[in-house]
Structures are given as structure tokens and as C-alpha cells.
């Protein structure tokens, strides 16, 4: 137990110190947290086996998995807070259109690039694996995006549309992956299962939205019995933990395997709650402060679980490079085209694609599902390599895009003590 507490404290202290270094060189704090996790992981400092310092093995990282799931639940709950009725009326149609089209365009472009690679090097990458990777490419990680927005207090049309698109992207990515993985399985084993390709993903989305809506309504009803800020924030935290736990439940309805999407459940809870609770804005502000250490640990763990051994395989690096280039092109072109189609501002058309590049947990979850393919190990390794690259580079690209769009206010240099008084006397 003492080693567990030491490990958590070392992770927090080291990541905060690293964020000061990152600030000096103009990098977002989320990049510092990821690098800290990488350094404390089982391939760097963790390999030394020092008690309470770093993660000695991937099993140690997996042991903290509940922290990652919980942090992701709070992140999703916060993003759900962006779906207020006022914003939905003004940007809802644009967000839905852009969210769907950019994901579809990305899948098509990555499919085209990897299928071409398969035709040139058939022994390096199978056709089912190429099709599956195309669908995984549609997924965008909301955590890194939200952390950059929070750190720099970004605000404006691009930021508001971005958070809505990232939320919609999860549902679209789930549908695309289910369809593509069904086709890939059919190519290997023959026969497409309508239940697996259509019924299960649709039910997962519907059940997730219903569970989230119910949790949001009950949370609002529960908080009416409490008036102190402390009790209300405690009730909010309890309900987010409740939705995270319930989203892990799986069950069978006849031949249909049913489950929930953690992101969709918590996002829907936040959406319903923020639209019916009069004090939701004040509560969300306090919740952000309470969950900051949890978010830092989430990124440290994300960095620690990055597998550096994949860098030894040149085939993985080659396929990963094709995947990264085509996915980046898909996100940028898909966002630009869909934004132009829906009449978004020029700044949104120009910069939105760059902010959609982060990729992490959702994509890795899809890669685990794809392990049943004969080339499933290759799919997982390519996704791991892309996550390694995107998690370290994409936050900076997101920051630069939001800065270029004028939605991040440059920090003013700190004035020496007493400068204000001297200026006033002058």
C-alpha cells in the first residue's frame, strides 16, 4: 500500500515539475504529463525496480486502470456540459454534419492508403487488417483536446464546435468500426453477422444515451435536496462514479451481446444535467478543480502504457507511417470540406482538422477487439505506434490551431514586484 501511495505522489509531483519545463519551451502541459508517464514507465525509470518509483511492468500500469476509466468519465461529463440548448440551436446542425463527415472521410482515405499498401506488400498487411485500421482511424481522443482547452482557457466558435464534434465522433466511430470489423471478419471467416455489424452497435448507442439521460435527471432531482456547495459537488462526483461503474456492465438479450459506451453515458449525463440544473455552471467550475489531479494521473498512465518495443519492428513503423499520414490527411480534409459545406467561418475551416488529430484510449479499445483477426497483433501494434506519435505531437498542434484561430489569449509577461506602483507614480 505504501508503494502505491508513493507511486501516485511521485507521478503527480514529477508531472507538475515537468509541466514547468514544458511551459518554458512552449509545449502544452498534457505533453509534459505524457512524457512523465513515458519516463516513469516500464521501459525507462520503471525498469530500475525502485520501490514506489515508476511502473515496473505493464501489469503495474494495468493495476491503475480504474483511475484511467474514472478520469475519462469525468472528462466525458465535462464535454457533455458543452451541449447546452443555446449552443445546440446555433451549432447543432453543423456539429452533427461535421462530426459524421470528417469521420467517414478519414476512414475512406485511410482505407484507400492501406489497401494500396496491401496490394503492393500483401505479406506485410492483410486486407481485413487494412479495413479495420481504416475504421479505427476515425476515433478522436477527447481527453487531450479538453486538457489543452482548459489550460489555455480557449474560447470561441472553433473551441465550442470542436468539443461538440469530439463528442459526436465517439458514436460515429463506434458505428464505422462495427461495420468495418464485420466486413473484415467476413473476409476471413465468411458470412456477415447482422447482429454484430448493425444490432449490437445501435443498441450500445441507444442504451448508453438512455442510461446517461436517466442519470442526468436523477442527479438534478437529488441535488435539489442539498443547498451547500460542498454537498452538491459531492453528489455530482458520486453520480459520475456511478455512471462510470454502470457503463462497465455487460449483459445478453438472447443472441445479442449488450454493453455501454463509457464516453457516451457520461457525456449524456453531463448534457442533461447542464440543461436542467440552474447551478450547473458553478458546479462544473468547482468540479474541474477537484478533478485536476485525476486528469493528470490519466495522462501519466497513458504515457506509461506506451509500448516502446514496437519501435524495433520496421514493418510496424512503415505501416504506422502510412496510417498516420493518411489519417491526418483524412481529418484535415474531412473537417475542411464538411465545415465549408455547412458554412462555418474561415478560421474553423482552416484549423478544425488539426484539433481532431489526438488519438488514444478509444482507438486502443477497438484494436483490442480486433485481436481476433489473424493479423490482429499488427493492428494493435500500428495503433500503439500511432498513439505514441499523436499523443506527443497532437496537443501542440491543437494549441497552435486554437492560437492561430485567435481563441487563445497570449499570456502577458509577469511584471516585476512594484512595477505597477512605479508606473502609477510616473
Amino acid at each position: 500500500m505504501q508503494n502505491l501511495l508513493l507511486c501516485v505522489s511521485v507521478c503527480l509531483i514529477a508531472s507538475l515539475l515537468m509541466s514547468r519545463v514544458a511551459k518554458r519551451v512552449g509545449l502544452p502541459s498534457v505533453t509534459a504529463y505524457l512524457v512523465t508517464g513515458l519516463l516513469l514507465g516500464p521501459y525507462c525509470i520503471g525498469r530500475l525496480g525502485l520501490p514506489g518509483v515508476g511502473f515496473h511492468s505493464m501489469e503495474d500500469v494495468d493495476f491503475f486502470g480504474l483511475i484511467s476509466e474514472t478520469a475519462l468519465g469525468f472528462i466525458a461529463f465535462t464535454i457533455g456540459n458543452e451541449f447546452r440548448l443555446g449552443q445546440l440551436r446555433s451549432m447543432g446542425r453543423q456539429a452533427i454534419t461535421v462530426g459524421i463527415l470528417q469521420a467517414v472521410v478519414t476512414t475512406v482515405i485511410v482505407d484507400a492508403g492501406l489497401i494500396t499498401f496491401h496490394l503492393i506488400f500483401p505479406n506485410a498487411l492483410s486486407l481485413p487488417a487494412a479495413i479495420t485500421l481504416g475504421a479505427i482511424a476515425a476515433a478522436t481522443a477527447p481527453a487531450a483536446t479538453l486538457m489543452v482547452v482548459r489550460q489555455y482557457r480557449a474560447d470561441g466558435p472553433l473551441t465550442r464546435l470542436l468539443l461538440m464534434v469530439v463528442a459526436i465522433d465517439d458514436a460515429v466511430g463506434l458505428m464505422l468500426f462495427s461495420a468495418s470489423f464485420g466486413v473484415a471478419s467476413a473476409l476471413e471467416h465468411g458470412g456477415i453477422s447482422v447482429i454484430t455489424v448493425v444490432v449490437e452497435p445501435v443498441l450500445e448507442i441507444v442504451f448508453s444515451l438512455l442510461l446517461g439521460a436517466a442519470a442526468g435527471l436523477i442527479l438534478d432531482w437529488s441535488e435539489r435536496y442539498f443547498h451547500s456547495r460542498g454537498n452538491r459537488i459531492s453528489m455530482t462526483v458520486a453520480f459520475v462514479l456511478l455512471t462510470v461503474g454502470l457503463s462497465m456492465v455487460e449483459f445478453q438479450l438472447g443472441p445479442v451481446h449488450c454493453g455501454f459506451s463509457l464516453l457516451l453515458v457520461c457525456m449524456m449525463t453531463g448534457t442533461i444535467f447542464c440543461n436542467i440544473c440552474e447551478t450547473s455552471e458553478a458546479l462544473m467550475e468547482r468540479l474541474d478543480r477537484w478533478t485536476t489531479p485525476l486528469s493528470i494521473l490519466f495522462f501519466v498512465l497513458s504515457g506509461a502504457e506506451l509500448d516502446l518495443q514496437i519501435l524495433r519492428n520496421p514493418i510496424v513503423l512503415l505501416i504506422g507511417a502510412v496510417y498516420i499520414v493518411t489519417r491526418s490527411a483524412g481529418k484535415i480534409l474531412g473537417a475542411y470540406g464538411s465545415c465549408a459545406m455547412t458554412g462555418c467561418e474561415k478560421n474553423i475551416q482552416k484549423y478544425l482538422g488539426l484539433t481532431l488529430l489526438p488519438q488514444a484510449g478509444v482507438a486502443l479499445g477497438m484494436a483490442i477487439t480486433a485481436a481476433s483477426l489473424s493479423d490482429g497483433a499488427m493492428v494493435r501494434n500500428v495503433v500503439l505506434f500511432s498513439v505514441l506519435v499523436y499523443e506527443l505531437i497532437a496537443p501542440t498542434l491543437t494549441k497552435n490551431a486554437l492560437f492561430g484561430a485567435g481563441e487563445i489569449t497570449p499570456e502577458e509577461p509577469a511584471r516585476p514586484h512594484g512595477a505597477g506602483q512605479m508606473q502609477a507614480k510616473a
Side-chain angles (χ1 to χ4, degrees):
M1 184 60 70
Q2 64 268 28
N3 288 342
L4 175 66
L5 294 175
L6 283 172
C7 184
V8 170
S9 62
V10 167
C11 287
L12 287 172
I13 294 170
S15 57
L16 289 171
L17 292 175
M18 186 68 76
S19 69
R20 297 300 86 194
V21 177
K23 185 176 181 179
R24 288 184 176 275
V25 295
L27 293 175
S29 294
V30 62
T31 303
Y33 304 151
L34 289 163
V35 171
T36 301
L38 198 61
L39 294 176
L40 293 175
Y43 300 102
C44 295
I45 295 175
R47 187 179 288 272
L48 300 177
L50 301 175
V53 180
F55 307 93
H56 304 161
S57 65
M58 280 299 178
E59 287 72 21
D60 287 351
V61 180
D62 293 338
F63 181 77
F64 289 88
L66 185 60
I67 293 179
S68 296
E69 295 291 317
T70 304
L72 197 57
F74 280 101
I75 290 166
F77 182 79
T78 302
I79 291 177
N81 188 53
E82 299 298 320
F83 284 86
R84 294 184 178 270
L85 288 177
Q87 295 182 11
L88 287 174
R89 292 190 187 101
S90 61
M91 305 182 72
R93 183 180 64 85
Q94 289 179 333
I96 293 172
T97 303
V98 173
I100 294 173
L101 289 182
Q102 58 83 23
V104 172
V105 169
T106 300
T107 295
V108 170
I109 291 179
V110 175
D111 274 342
L114 292 179
I115 290 173
T116 301
F117 185 92
H118 161 73
L119 295 175
I120 299 174
F121 306 103
N123 295 327
L125 182 70
S126 68
L127 182 58
I131 294 173
T132 303
L133 282 168
I136 294 176
T140 299
T145 301
L146 182 63
M147 182 64 81
V148 173
V149 169
R150 280 178 174 175
Q151 179 186 352
Y152 296 100
R153 297 182 178 86
D155 188 31
L158 173 60
T159 302
R160 290 191 287 271
L161 180 63
L162 166 63
L163 293 176
M164 295 175 74
V165 169
V166 166
I168 294 168
D169 188 84
D170 183 52
V172 179
L174 175 63
M175 294 295 294
L176 289 172
F177 175 75
S178 298
S180 296
F181 184 61
V183 172
S185 298
L187 290 174
E188 284 200 348
H189 311 296
I192 296 179
S193 171
V194 177
I195 291 178
T196 303
V197 175
V198 179
V199 177
E200 289 184 352
V202 170
L203 287 179
E204 180 172 334
I205 293 172
V206 172
F207 287 162
S208 298
L209 295 178
L210 289 175
L211 176 59
L217 290 169
I218 298 173
L219 172 59
D220 175 63
W221 174 78
S222 301
E223 293 209 344
R224 294 178 184 179
Y225 291 93
F226 301 94
H227 302 288
S228 72
R229 295 174 180 176
N231 286 338
R232 286 190 166 186
I233 196 66
S234 297
M235 181 63 73
T236 304
V237 169
F239 261 80
V240 175
L241 295 175
L242 176 65
T243 52
V244 170
L246 291 177
S247 67
M248 298 178 183
V249 174
E250 298 180 355
F251 56 95
Q252 289 284 139
L253 286 178
V256 181
H257 178 77
C258 301
F260 301 95
S261 166
L262 183 150
L263 288 174
L264 288 180
V265 172
C266 295
M267 283 177 189
M268 193 61 177
T269 304
T271 299
I272 296 297
F273 178 67
C274 77
N275 280 289
I276 61 178
C277 179
E278 296 178 356
T279 60
S280 63
E281 289 193 29
L283 284 171
M284 292 302 298
E285 184 178 347
R286 292 182 178 85
L287 184 67
D288 289 345
R289 298 171 186 169
W290 186 90
T291 58
T292 296
L294 196 61
S295 298
I296 293 174
L297 285 174
F298 172 81
F299 289 105
V300 172
L301 291 168
S302 297
E305 67 182 4
L306 295 176
D307 190 348
L308 298 183
Q309 290 183 332
I310 59 174
L311 300 178
R312 300 176 180 177
N313 191 335
I315 299 298
V316 171
L317 300 183
L318 180 59
I319 299 173
V322 175
Y323 175 87
I324 290 170
V325 170
T326 52
R327 180 180 181 271
S328 301
K331 286 291 181 182
I332 293 171
L333 294 176
Y336 182 87
S338 57
C339 286
M341 184 186 304
T342 54
C344 294
E345 299 175 10
K346 292 292 183 181
N347 269 348
I348 297 178
Q349 297 178 29
K350 182 178 180 181
Y351 293 110
L352 180 63
L354 288 174
T355 64
L356 296 174
L357 294 181
Q359 189 171 50
V362 177
L364 289 172
M366 293 177 177
I368 292 172
T369 302
S372 60
L373 296 174
S374 60
D375 213 1
M378 179 60 73
V379 171
R380 179 180 179 275
N381 288 336
V382 170
V383 172
L384 278 171
F385 174 64
S386 71
V387 167
L388 174 64
V389 174
Y390 278 125
E391 285 293 86
L392 295 177
I393 296 175
T396 301
L397 296 177
T398 300
K399 171 204 167 185
N400 292 339
L402 293 172
F403 186 84
E407 300 193 3
I408 292 179
T409 303
E411 294 183 9
E412 295 183 2
R415 292 187 298 178
H417 180 68
Q421 295 179 351
M422 293 173 61
Q423 188 176 15
K425 292 178 180 179

